Amino acid sequence: MYDGIVQDLIDEFGRLPGIGPKSAQRIAFHILQTQNFDVSRLAELLSEVREKVRFCEVCGNLTEHERCSICRDPRRDESLICVVEEPKDVVAIERTRQFRGLYHVLGGAISPIDGIGPDDLSIPALMRRIGESQVQEVIIATDPNLEGEATAAYLSRLLTSIEVPVSRLASGLPVGGDLEFADEVTLGRAFEGRRKVE
Ligand SMILES: [Zn+2]
């Protein structure tokens, strides 16, 4: 334990996801010891993102506007919707440059253990969106893990029951992981090789 605010800082970093006590300590000491570390810039950004960044009213992606840059881009193909779990998945897929349609960010995945059901995700919003537009294909790109698979199965059933063409990414993605961890080439191939759900 350190004295006073140093320990407070370490504790605060330790509360962040994926940062254990050792990393928290390392970050705190980096800030303390690095003369030119711009603390005010970091503080400014933290309060600015809180203030300015919100979720796109159409797709749920992160944006500083009502609609995200992808939804605002007239060159994107509105007839294709790719469903992902989190905004970071949008970034991962954009990096592949394989997809020119729009996205729908669910805000997580179905997980009975964590008490997350379909109504906790933006599935009703997706259904509304599909009802209001001419969607030719919904590509389900949830994570290749248990929760992602459960979510994909649920969505596939829901969408095929109202006769919306659905496809899933081809296998070959690292099982059990997050979409964002797949490299661009693998993810790009999975996209190209997507298969229709009957
Ligand atoms: Zn959007």
Side-chain angles (χ1 to χ4, degrees):
M1 287 288 276
Y2 295 89
D3 276 347
I5 54 172
V6 174
Q7 189 59 45
D8 291 348
L9 184 63
I10 294 170
D11 291 344
E12 216 49 60
F13 284 132
R15 272 192 266 277
L16 298 173
I19 299 188
K22 277 193 179 158
S23 304
Q25 191 173 314
R26 207 176 304 135
I27 298 168
F29 275 91
H30 175 77
I31 293 172
L32 282 173
Q33 290 167 336
T34 311
Q35 282 303 323
N36 56 358
F37 187 90
D38 196 345
V39 174
S40 44
R41 169 86 181 135
L42 181 61
E44 230 167 74
L45 278 176
L46 285 174
S47 52
E48 243 182 291
V49 286
R50 244 306 159 70
E51 216 174 283
K52 293 183 182 166
V53 178
R54 48 184 153 165
F55 297 102
C56 171
E57 62 176 17
V58 178
C59 74
N61 192 14
L62 294 178
T63 178
E64 290 178 37
H65 307 271
E66 274 173 11
R67 292 180 175 212
C68 73
S69 55
I70 296 170
C71 288
R72 291 200 314 268
D73 185 347
R75 292 164 301 180
R76 307 288 300 213
D77 184 349
E78 289 181 6
S79 70
L80 298 174
I81 294 182
C82 177
V83 179
V84 296
E85 292 181 22
E86 307 283 353
K88 60 185 164 63
D89 303 321
V90 172
V91 176
I93 293 169
E94 284 298 287
R95 264 203 309 260
T96 70
R97 297 171 183 276
Q98 288 285 334
F99 183 62
R100 295 303 302 162
L102 301 177
Y103 292 91
H104 192 85
V105 182
L106 294 173
I110 294 172
S111 173
I113 293 172
D114 302 313
I116 302 170
D119 292 340
D120 300 308
L121 307 171
S122 67
I123 293 175
L126 173 65
M127 300 312 281
R128 261 198 313 279
R129 230 180 129 182
I130 289 168
E132 287 164 2
S133 54
Q134 293 293 321
V135 177
Q136 309 266 310
E137 183 183 0
V138 174
I139 301 152
I140 301 176
T142 48
D143 286 345
N145 56 26
L146 215 60
E147 293 80 18
E149 290 299 323
T151 310
Y154 177 85
L155 281 175
S156 301
R157 269 201 310 276
L158 196 63
L159 293 168
T160 48
S161 74
I162 56 165
E163 291 176 359
V164 173
V166 181
S167 59
R168 298 272 309 266
L169 296 193
S171 49
L173 294 172
V175 176
D178 280 4
L179 205 64
E180 52 159 339
F181 297 141
D183 65 89
E184 286 155 48
V185 176
T186 309
L187 189 53
R189 278 203 197 117
F191 229 94
E192 265 183 320
R194 65 184 186 261
R195 62 202 191 283
K196 197 166 181 281
V197 176
E198 303 294 341

